[in-house]
Amino acid sequence: MWVTRFAPSPTGVLHLGHVASAMSGLSYARPGGRWLIRMEDIDPQRCRPEYARQLLEDLAWLGLFSDAPVLYQSACLAEYRQTLDILEQMGVLYPCFCTRSDIARESAAIFSAPHAAPDGSLLYPGRCRSLPAARREELLARGRPHVLRLNMQRALECAGGAESLYYNTPEGRRVQCWPALFGDVVLARRDIPASYHLCVTHDDAKQGITLVTRGEDLRPATDLHCLLQNLMGWPRPHYTFHPLLCGADGRRLSKRDNARSVRAMREAGMCKEEVMRAAGF
Ligand code: GLU
């Protein structure tokens, strides 16, 4: 009996890709388990409360209800801050004052080709990691904007050997993790004391998720999440990945594909069974 979750970011309306993702988690949770909805709404630039409302409304129209009150990440910022404090005390975080262009410039100077992490983000070359303590204190005292990065090398040392960095799939396969490929990732952004990786791992532990069902695009990030779980002593869920739904052009469906939105389908007179079928269920 699995506890699974559907964790959309309310940056647009519910589309078929969402439905496929929600149903993937639900199919493991039924019968007998629990299926929870979580709003990953920490990004104030991209998330809107009215999208969250519409997502829940469309899910309700499909007959999909969370088995516990919906968790809003925007209401948990103090908990993310506490997690960062613990990681800071462990000595695995450091403030980074580099701007995007500093990083691009330094990358170009060090590497012959751009070095990207498995999620496509630029690998951090590490300038602020070796900043002298006095300079770091001075910049902090002056209130210079900064992010908090994970010192990957130290984190790996603290988290135990590679043999403890793996997850299991529901079919009983054991998958080795390689978080080092991400380099010194950002765990707290400039504008919010949190990041996707921190919040998602924190909340899966907080909500007692035993099986994370997520899109193939998030497979590499899972390695990083396992490292954070080791550092924090959080339980490790099982993981499984569903294919991303694509449009006729073969591109991944996104909120730009308005014709694939559940709302547009409802308004065109489709019933919920037809929408489910269109999502592959
Ligand atoms: N919020 C993430 C998204 O919308 C999914 C959460 C996860 O499985 O990590 O892509």
Side-chain angles (χ1 to χ4, degrees):
M1 280 192 304
W2 299 108
V3 182
T4 64
R5 49 42 164 207
F6 172 52
S9 299
T11 58
V13 294
L14 195 77
H15 58 69
L16 284 185
H18 282 128
V19 179
S21 174
M23 290 305 292
S24 154
L26 198 69
S27 63
Y28 282 95
R30 299 281 183 268
R34 294 169 76 223
W35 180 76
L36 311 178
I37 298 177
R38 174 160 87 224
M39 285 293 163
E40 303 214 323
D41 60 347
I42 51 160
D43 188 336
Q45 313 293 334
R46 298 174 60 236
C47 299
R48 295 214 210 120
E50 62 265 33
Y51 284 138
R53 237 182 349 261
Q54 286 181 14
L55 288 175
L56 292 176
E57 221 176 88
D58 286 341
L59 287 166
W61 179 77
L62 288 167
L64 305 178
F65 298 92
S66 178
D67 291 329
V70 175
L71 183 105
Y72 289 83
Q73 288 191 329
S74 55
C76 304
L77 293 184
E79 292 169 51
Y80 305 140
R81 182 65 260 175
Q82 273 168 15
T83 305
L84 289 166
D85 289 344
I86 295 171
L87 293 172
E88 229 157 12
Q89 279 156 25
M90 290 170 73
V92 296
L93 295 186
Y94 63 90
C96 170
F97 305 92
C98 293
T99 61
R100 237 176 246 275
S101 53
D102 289 336
I103 297 172
R105 211 172 325 111
E106 208 192 341
S107 283
I110 297 180
F111 308 124
S112 51
H115 276 41
D119 62 356
S121 62
L122 207 58
L123 265 189
Y124 181 60
R127 186 161 63 147
C128 288
R129 186 174 52 232
S130 47
L131 216 55
R135 176 78 181 135
R136 183 176 288 166
E137 291 313 317
E138 181 196 330
L139 292 172
L140 288 174
R142 276 206 251 140
R144 174 82 81 87
H146 61 274
V147 300
L148 292 177
R149 288 187 182 275
L150 186 71
N151 182 327
M152 180 55 76
Q153 196 54 48
R154 275 211 201 135
L156 288 169
E157 285 158 18
C158 290
E163 60 284 353
S164 65
L165 279 171
Y166 67 88
Y167 58 83
N168 289 305
T169 68
E171 299 77 33
R173 213 159 43 84
R174 178 180 161 135
V175 181
Q176 185 68 42
C177 298
W178 304 102
L181 299 175
F182 281 85
D184 290 1
V185 282
V186 171
L187 290 191
R189 296 168 27 162
R190 278 190 180 76
D191 51 346
I192 34 171
S195 72
Y196 159 67
H197 299 302
L198 184 87
C199 301
V200 81
T201 317
H202 172 277
D203 293 343
D204 285 335
K206 169 175 162 146
Q207 293 188 289
I209 303 300
T210 57
L211 171 64
V212 171
T213 61
R214 55 167 48 147
E216 271 296 344
D217 55 331
L218 292 172
R219 186 189 288 271
T222 302
D223 292 15
L224 193 57
H225 302 168
C226 291
L227 172 63
L228 292 177
Q229 285 153 1
N230 275 26
L231 288 172
M232 292 301 299
W234 287 330
R236 165 100 12 101
H238 285 59
Y239 287 90
T240 188
F241 305 91
H242 58 78
L244 298 174
L245 221 54
C246 293
D249 58 359
R251 275 186 327 122
R252 177 186 172 185
L253 280 191
S254 76
K255 60 177 183 294
R256 287 180 294 278
D257 297 283
N258 259 333
R260 302 296 184 116
S261 83
V262 171
R263 202 145 282 237
M265 293 176 162
R266 275 170 75 174
E267 282 161 8
M270 284 172 76
C271 67
K272 70 177 188 189
E273 288 74 17
E274 286 169 322
V275 173
M276 287 289 189
R277 262 200 304 281
F281 284 86

